[in-house]
Amino acid sequence: MALLEAFATPFDEANPTAGHAALLNERYANRQTLDVLDDVINHEFGGRVALVSSFGADSVVLLHLAAEVAPNVPVIFIDTGKIFGSTLRYRDEIVARLGLTDVRAARPDPATLASHDSDSGLWLREPDKCCAIRKVAPLARALSSFDAWISGRKRYQGGMRAALPFVEADGERIKVNPLAGWSREDLVAYRKLHDLPEHPLVADGFRSIGCMPCTTRVADGEDERDGRWRGQDKTECGIHFGLAAFETDGSGI
Ligand code: SF4
């Protein structure tokens, strides 16, 4: 840390993680994304940070950037059991193409599924509970040994993401959003510049891709996330609402 940075923001002793996030926001304010990822993965949180990826519509950009600085960075993929087959095949293609060597699947606990979703239809009855069992709790377990994680959210996606900070506190863990300021055009340009393959469902009208039952095509003029949980108030799965409650007993149910 540069001496100047240490004096720029008083460290918040009552909330050291928030203070750490504020310091990092200052440090990274005018840095290139690749430079930030290099610092986060190889220095600031060396060996203690994981990248979380859905291998969805835009994921290849962040994965390519991370692979440029550390192909061995742990990548966590939440395999809910409801993922499109084309996403699983796309994941395998991207992993091989980028040379990622540490991709981990975070899966729901079988006993929890048996007791709360035995007919596999919880997504229809209680989608928040389904996300808690199939996404949030598995991610909380997968991140339990890490001090920081990297997400691919962007401000242009709107909703709760419109005010997304570059670095934020997530309980006692730091969360870095290196693409927060990127536009859709930036992502497309980067993907084309590096000749990176597009998720096959994008050409079929899917612009934000999650679980199969909760993802629909997006029409012209709609926001890209309008196809998620269509017809419901729900706009997020919950992994960005804080994982701490799910780390106590690993279920959060
Ligand atoms: S996105 Fe749908 S299917 Fe996937 S975990 Fe959430 S509610 Fe369940």
Side-chain angles (χ1 to χ4, degrees), residues 81-230:
K82 300 283 188 183
I83 301 292
F84 286 94
S86 52
T87 297
L88 300 177
R89 291 187 290 277
Y90 181 62
R91 173 199 60 188
D92 294 345
E93 177 187 358
I94 295 301
V95 168
R97 166 75 183 271
L98 302 184
L100 294 164
T101 60
D102 189 2
V103 179
R104 311 174 184 191
R107 296 192 171 94
D109 173 48
T112 306
L113 285 182
S115 57
H116 292 278
D117 194 12
S118 58
D119 67 351
S120 208
L122 190 61
W123 64 271
L124 195 55
R125 296 186 297 274
E126 292 183 76
D128 284 342
K129 187 172 179 179
C130 184
C131 279
I133 290 172
R134 292 182 179 273
K135 286 190 172 183
V136 188
L139 180 61
R141 286 194 295 273
L143 284 174
S144 61
S145 60
F146 294 99
D147 293 337
W149 60 295
I150 300 166
S151 113
R153 291 171 300 162
K154 280 78 63 178
R155 292 188 195 111
Y156 83 81
Q157 293 175 310
M160 296 180 64
R161 304 181 178 203
L164 190 65
F166 198 73
V167 181
E168 58 188 320
D170 180 12
E172 295 183 351
R173 198 171 283 119
I174 288 286
K175 182 160 51 176
V176 184
N177 309 301
L179 303 185
W182 285 47
S183 67
R184 159 145 290 283
E185 292 71 28
D186 292 336
L187 294 166
V188 171
Y190 186 94
R191 188 176 56 72
K192 290 184 175 175
L193 178 66
H194 295 279
D195 193 26
L196 299 170
E198 187 176 64
H199 191 298
L201 287 178
V202 173
D204 197 20
F206 294 85
R207 288 173 45 205
S208 176
I209 301 162
C211 291
M212 190 163 45
C214 305
T215 301
T216 58
R217 292 179 179 82
V218 174
D220 289 344
E222 287 189 309
D223 290 336
E224 66 183 31
R225 287 186 62 81
D226 285 349
R228 306 288 292 276
W229 303 285
R230 188 178 287 282

